[in-house]
Amino acid sequence: CSSDLEELNGVFDAPDDLVGELWNETLWPEHPYGYSILGTHDTVTALQTTDLRAVHGAGYHPANAVIAAAGNVDHDGVLATLAAQGWFEGDRQPRQPMVPAAAGQRGVHRNEARDLQQVHTIIGTDTVSAADERRWGFALMTAVLGGGMSSRLFQRVREELGLCYTIHAWHSGYRAAGVFGVYVGAQPDNAGPALAAIREELTRVTREGIPAGELDDAKRQLKGNLMLALESTSSRMNRLAVHVLHDEQYRSIDDVRRLVDAVTPEETATLAAEFLDPERMTTVTLGPPRSTTRRATRH
């Protein structure tokens, strides 16, 4: 397990990754979504060969696999090859039930002291699942807020105020829930003002929504990214697999484009009012020691 421990230790040398681990843990303290996929030093060192074999035997076998293929392939030929190699033998095991996700911890602020040059901050909240139709609205809001150099947060916090070098927003959907977050890395003196500016922009969106013009720009950006992804065979393959893993009906790119185009300013305003209020957000900062090295309090 030495390589696993090295990978685990590598996270502690990458503060932008570590703050994400801490934020997940803070948002989901009692749910598997809050667990590190790398485990902990104690769990990794305690693993035995029998443990790995038991996990592998319970789920990692041909009859329980999702197989996706893309590119210059023949469907019947792929099936014949898989059958010849025994991939369809045996009984498929029941899929593990999804662990319901209760609401994430909201309005929590956690500081973690670490001797770093920058303060790394994530502010975000739990949102909608991967199968929720509102995810298209969330994807567009995320693009408007922090989806690139033309986004509101990049322009406001970095270009206008000069408070940071890196800032972006993201939205991820899982089977039971989703998350929206904003990451910013700033010098210690700028970390507080940068976070305040982010909260101001989030408040603005919750009150005013997103104008139709900005929403249209985000739609063009999102649809363009979807089309660019088609140039990658691996992206096409992964897209096929994700539909199955999320128990979702397959949608063509044209179907997705129509869903994106159908999002209205009123829908994004409703989403913003429900989910993007800064008082709902959980915030984790990682950086130089302060008077309190670690605390978790509610606003």
Side-chain angles (χ1 to χ4, degrees), residues 140 224 250 271:
L140 293 169
Y250 172 78
L271 284 174

Side-chain angles (χ1 to χ4, degrees), residues 60-270:
Y60 292 82
H61 52 81
N64 209 37
V66 172
I67 301 168
N72 186 21
V73 296
D74 175 74
H75 182 73
D76 293 334
V78 171
L79 293 180
T81 299
L82 294 171
Q85 295 181 357
W87 280 90
F88 301 137
E89 296 176 359
D91 297 326
R92 181 177 181 180
Q93 300 298 314
R95 189 173 185 180
Q96 284 190 334
M98 178 175 61
V99 179
Q105 296 295 302
R106 300 168 184 169
V108 174
H109 194 127
R110 173 179 175 181
N111 295 326
E112 287 284 342
R114 193 172 176 85
D115 189 14
L116 300 170
Q117 295 298 314
Q118 281 193 322
V119 175
H120 302 263
T121 303
I122 290 180
I123 175 173
T125 187
D126 57 310
T127 62
V128 301
S129 71
D132 193 308
E133 293 299 325
R134 293 175 294 173
R135 70 187 185 277
W136 307 111
F138 247 112
L140 293 169
M141 286 198 305
T142 303
V144 169
L145 283 167
M149 290 187 292
S150 63
S151 66
R152 288 189 180 188
L153 290 173
F154 190 95
Q155 287 296 315
R156 176 63 176 161
V157 183
R158 172 177 155 149
E159 297 298 292
E160 294 180 19
L161 300 177
L163 295 174
C164 71
Y165 180 76
T166 303
I167 184 169
H168 65 268
W170 82 94
H171 179 255
S172 299
Y174 310 127
R175 289 181 66 203
V179 294
F180 168 85
V182 177
Y183 165 84
V184 62
Q187 294 298 313
D189 289 343
N190 293 336
L195 181 58
I198 293 169
R199 292 172 62 88
E200 288 174 2
E201 198 59 48
L202 292 173
T203 299
R204 178 186 166 198
V205 173
T206 63
R207 293 176 178 174
E208 303 174 6
I210 297 174
E214 277 189 274
L215 193 60
D216 288 340
D217 290 341
K219 289 178 180 180
R220 285 190 287 270
Q221 177 185 348
L222 181 57
K223 290 185 293 184
N225 291 338
L226 289 170
M227 298 305 294
L228 286 174
L230 295 179
E231 298 180 2
S232 167
T233 304
S234 60
S235 293
R236 288 174 176 259
M237 177 187 65
N238 290 334
R239 184 171 179 271
L240 293 172
V242 165
H243 278 93
V244 179
L245 292 172
H246 285 167
D247 296 324
E248 184 182 13
Q249 179 182 357
Y250 172 78
R251 287 190 172 100
S252 68
I253 290 296
D254 287 339
D255 290 337
V256 173
R257 287 164 58 91
R258 282 191 287 269
L259 288 168
V260 171
D261 282 332
V263 176
T264 66
E266 292 75 19
E267 290 175 26
T268 55
T270 299

Side-chain angles (χ1 to χ4, degrees), residues 1-56:
C1 62
S2 58
S3 61
D4 296 320
L5 291 175
E6 289 177 7
E7 184 177 6
L8 182 60
N9 291 334
V11 172
F12 291 93
D13 295 328
D16 51 340
D17 288 338
L18 179 57
V19 72
E21 296 273 338
L22 297 174
W23 183 76
N24 286 330
E25 175 186 285
T26 307
L27 182 67
W28 305 108
E30 304 295 336
H31 192 277
Y33 288 162
Y35 301 164
S36 170
I37 61 172
L38 298 176
T40 66
H41 184 276
D42 291 339
T43 59
V44 171
T45 54
L47 282 173
Q48 302 295 320
T49 303
T50 53
D51 299 320
L52 298 178
R53 286 176 176 168
V55 171
H56 191 274

